[in-house]
Amino acid sequence: MNSKQSVMTLDEFTIQELRNFPGATGQLSGLLRGIGLAAKRVNVAVNKAGIADILGEAGRTNVQGESVKKLDEFANGQFIDALRTSIYCCGMASEENEDFIPFLDEHSMQSKYVVLIDPLDGSGNIDVNISIGTIFSVYRRITPEGTPCKLEDFLQPGSAQIAAGYIIYGSSTMLVYATRRSVQGFTLDPAIGEFCLSHPNLKCPEAGDIFSVNMGYYHLYEAPVRQVIDSFMAKTAQEKVYRHRAVGCMVAEIHRTLIQGGVFLYPAFGQYHHGRLRLCYECNPMSFLVEKAGGMSLSAPGQRLLDVQPAKLHQRIPIFIGSRTMMEGVHHLFSEAQ
Ligand code: AHG
Ligand code: MN
Ligand code: MN
């Protein structure tokens, strides 16, 4: 095996970033370290899920009426604990909790950030050993430091994000995060239990040949969406062949898109007439990250997803996201259909 001599850990990297930006307070670095710690704890549970009593349903439904898995609850608890302990955010909102959670201790209240999180994404994959993930998003609070955070701190358009990222628990475990400046990818080295910089300055390939969408709902999608999908499906042997992939975990779809290029679509249909994926916990962070890597994300024809003003925490939204040239094709087809 070819292994590099000395790879920078997540902690070392965030500390080095502080040196490059003398005005930085270190709060964001502290937050990322807290998220990394919770991710390692979740990773341990995921790795031994089959032998620990952690597979299956928790026996309740969440605020969105979806059945909650034991690992959803475990992951949620880990991220809440890590963020509360970190003192680097004044509150958080989770897909698994109806309301946001203010951190009211003196230190946390002084901090300038709030965090939104989908603690376990792709939870339908847990019991069958397919990739799952965590998605997080960081905003600067609107309310004054030193006071309890309020709902308005969490309901900001995605374009206001300070940082966003995901953890993928896959064939290896990775933490990928974007700031306004760059996207960096770290792989968990199980030997030392640290996330190590493995994918510096990630860029989403401009072109791609993969499209990802739940084809089971094809006939329920609106005509322009069907036209977009049709444009990827070869009608003759001579045409460019796109490959179709659908993992059932947005984190895995986005990770593949960042590495190999392509598009991921989750349109509105039938019962999910506002889309299925959540604006604040899933679509905003992934759109921020993909845009920072050079890609594009829309919620409707001509509508940049990051410009949408959220009206409520658990709002859903359609998403069309991925490599720039493929997304320009999507945009073009949408505008023709209008
Ligand atoms: P979650 O596990 O947080 O509820 O999210 C699952 C989401 C997303 O990750 C995935 O892309 C989508 O649900 C899959 O939905 P379908 O089975 O309808 O395609
Ligand atoms: Mn999710
Ligand atoms: Mn989830």
Side-chain angles (χ1 to χ4, degrees), residues 20-41:
N20 295 337
F21 295 92
T25 59
Q27 290 190 32
L28 183 60
S29 309
L31 261 185
L32 287 167
R33 287 200 293 276
I35 289 171
L37 175 64
K40 285 191 264 187
R41 290 181 174 141

Short mmCIF file of all heavy atoms in Angstrom, two decimals, residues 20-41:
data_model
loop_
_atom_site.label_atom_id
_atom_site.label_comp_id
_atom_site.label_asym_id
_atom_site.label_seq_id
_atom_site.Cartn_x
_atom_site.Cartn_y
_atom_site.Cartn_z
N ASN A 20 -3.60 31.58 8.62
CA ASN A 20 -3.71 32.32 7.36
C ASN A 20 -4.67 33.50 7.46
O ASN A 20 -4.67 34.38 6.62
CB ASN A 20 -4.21 31.40 6.24
CG ASN A 20 -3.18 30.30 5.95
OD1 ASN A 20 -2.01 30.49 6.25
ND2 ASN A 20 -3.62 29.19 5.39
N PHE A 21 -5.54 33.47 8.48
CA PHE A 21 -6.54 34.54 8.62
C PHE A 21 -6.47 35.10 10.03
O PHE A 21 -7.21 34.69 10.92
CB PHE A 21 -7.94 34.02 8.28
CG PHE A 21 -8.04 33.61 6.85
CD1 PHE A 21 -7.77 32.31 6.47
CD2 PHE A 21 -8.33 34.54 5.87
CE1 PHE A 21 -7.80 31.93 5.14
CE2 PHE A 21 -8.36 34.18 4.54
CZ PHE A 21 -8.10 32.87 4.17
N PRO A 22 -5.57 36.05 10.22
CA PRO A 22 -5.27 36.54 11.57
C PRO A 22 -6.49 37.06 12.33
O PRO A 22 -6.54 36.97 13.54
CB PRO A 22 -4.28 37.68 11.32
CG PRO A 22 -3.74 37.45 9.93
CD PRO A 22 -4.78 36.71 9.17
N GLY A 23 -7.52 37.56 11.61
CA GLY A 23 -8.70 38.08 12.31
C GLY A 23 -9.62 36.98 12.81
O GLY A 23 -10.55 37.24 13.57
N ALA A 24 -9.38 35.74 12.41
CA ALA A 24 -10.31 34.65 12.75
C ALA A 24 -10.31 34.37 14.24
O ALA A 24 -9.27 34.45 14.90
CB ALA A 24 -9.94 33.41 11.97
N THR A 25 -11.49 34.04 14.77
CA THR A 25 -11.60 33.84 16.22
C THR A 25 -11.42 32.38 16.62
O THR A 25 -11.29 32.07 17.80
CB THR A 25 -13.00 34.26 16.70
OG1 THR A 25 -13.97 33.47 15.99
CG2 THR A 25 -13.25 35.73 16.45
N GLY A 26 -11.49 31.47 15.63
CA GLY A 26 -11.33 30.05 15.95
C GLY A 26 -12.65 29.36 16.26
O GLY A 26 -12.69 28.16 16.51
N GLN A 27 -13.76 30.14 16.25
CA GLN A 27 -15.05 29.51 16.58
C GLN A 27 -15.47 28.49 15.54
O GLN A 27 -15.96 27.41 15.86
CB GLN A 27 -16.14 30.57 16.71
CG GLN A 27 -15.97 31.44 17.94
CD GLN A 27 -17.19 32.32 18.19
OE1 GLN A 27 -18.32 31.95 17.89
NE2 GLN A 27 -16.97 33.49 18.75
N LEU A 28 -15.26 28.81 14.26
CA LEU A 28 -15.66 27.87 13.21
C LEU A 28 -14.79 26.61 13.27
O LEU A 28 -15.29 25.49 13.14
CB LEU A 28 -15.55 28.54 11.82
CG LEU A 28 -16.02 27.69 10.66
CD1 LEU A 28 -17.48 27.30 10.81
CD2 LEU A 28 -15.81 28.43 9.34
N SER A 29 -13.49 26.79 13.51
CA SER A 29 -12.59 25.64 13.65
C SER A 29 -13.07 24.76 14.81
O SER A 29 -13.09 23.54 14.71
CB SER A 29 -11.16 26.09 13.94
OG SER A 29 -10.78 27.05 13.02
N GLY A 30 -13.44 25.39 15.91
CA GLY A 30 -13.92 24.65 17.07
C GLY A 30 -15.19 23.88 16.75
O GLY A 30 -15.35 22.72 17.15
N LEU A 31 -16.07 24.51 15.99
CA LEU A 31 -17.31 23.84 15.59
C LEU A 31 -17.01 22.61 14.74
O LEU A 31 -17.59 21.54 14.94
CB LEU A 31 -18.14 24.78 14.71
CG LEU A 31 -19.27 25.55 15.35
CD1 LEU A 31 -20.04 26.31 14.29
CD2 LEU A 31 -20.19 24.60 16.11
N LEU A 32 -16.11 22.78 13.77
CA LEU A 32 -15.77 21.67 12.88
C LEU A 32 -15.15 20.51 13.66
O LEU A 32 -15.40 19.35 13.38
CB LEU A 32 -14.82 22.14 11.77
CG LEU A 32 -15.48 23.01 10.71
CD1 LEU A 32 -14.44 23.70 9.83
CD2 LEU A 32 -16.44 22.19 9.85
N ARG A 33 -14.35 20.85 14.67
CA ARG A 33 -13.75 19.79 15.49
C ARG A 33 -14.84 19.05 16.25
O ARG A 33 -14.80 17.82 16.36
CB ARG A 33 -12.70 20.37 16.44
CG ARG A 33 -11.43 20.79 15.71
CD ARG A 33 -10.26 20.90 16.68
NE ARG A 33 -10.43 21.99 17.64
CZ ARG A 33 -10.10 23.27 17.39
NH1 ARG A 33 -9.61 23.59 16.21
NH2 ARG A 33 -10.27 24.20 18.29
N GLY A 34 -15.82 19.78 16.76
CA GLY A 34 -16.94 19.15 17.47
C GLY A 34 -17.72 18.22 16.56
O GLY A 34 -18.08 17.10 16.93
N ILE A 35 -17.98 18.69 15.35
CA ILE A 35 -18.72 17.88 14.37
C ILE A 35 -17.90 16.63 14.02
O ILE A 35 -18.42 15.52 13.94
CB ILE A 35 -19.06 18.73 13.12
CG1 ILE A 35 -20.13 19.77 13.49
CG2 ILE A 35 -19.52 17.85 11.96
CD1 ILE A 35 -20.40 20.83 12.43
N GLY A 36 -16.58 16.82 13.85
CA GLY A 36 -15.70 15.68 13.54
C GLY A 36 -15.73 14.64 14.64
O GLY A 36 -15.76 13.44 14.38
N LEU A 37 -15.76 15.10 15.89
CA LEU A 37 -15.77 14.17 17.03
C LEU A 37 -17.07 13.37 17.04
O LEU A 37 -17.05 12.13 17.18
CB LEU A 37 -15.60 14.95 18.34
CG LEU A 37 -15.70 14.14 19.62
CD1 LEU A 37 -14.56 13.13 19.70
CD2 LEU A 37 -15.65 15.05 20.85
N ALA A 38 -18.20 14.05 16.88
CA ALA A 38 -19.48 13.34 16.86
C ALA A 38 -19.51 12.35 15.70
O ALA A 38 -20.00 11.22 15.83
CB ALA A 38 -20.64 14.34 16.75
N ALA A 39 -18.95 12.77 14.56
CA ALA A 39 -18.94 11.88 13.38
C ALA A 39 -18.15 10.61 13.67
O ALA A 39 -18.54 9.52 13.25
CB ALA A 39 -18.32 12.62 12.19
N LYS A 40 -17.06 10.74 14.41
CA LYS A 40 -16.26 9.54 14.73
C LYS A 40 -17.06 8.60 15.63
O LYS A 40 -17.01 7.39 15.48
CB LYS A 40 -14.94 9.95 15.39
CG LYS A 40 -13.96 10.54 14.38
CD LYS A 40 -12.57 10.68 14.97
CE LYS A 40 -12.35 12.08 15.49
NZ LYS A 40 -10.96 12.33 15.91
N ARG A 41 -17.80 9.18 16.56
CA ARG A 41 -18.62 8.34 17.45
C ARG A 41 -19.72 7.64 16.65
O ARG A 41 -20.01 6.46 16.86
CB ARG A 41 -19.23 9.19 18.57
CG ARG A 41 -18.18 9.66 19.55
CD ARG A 41 -18.82 10.48 20.66
NE ARG A 41 -17.83 10.82 21.68
CZ ARG A 41 -17.78 11.99 22.30
NH1 ARG A 41 -18.66 12.93 22.03
NH2 ARG A 41 -16.86 12.22 23.22
#
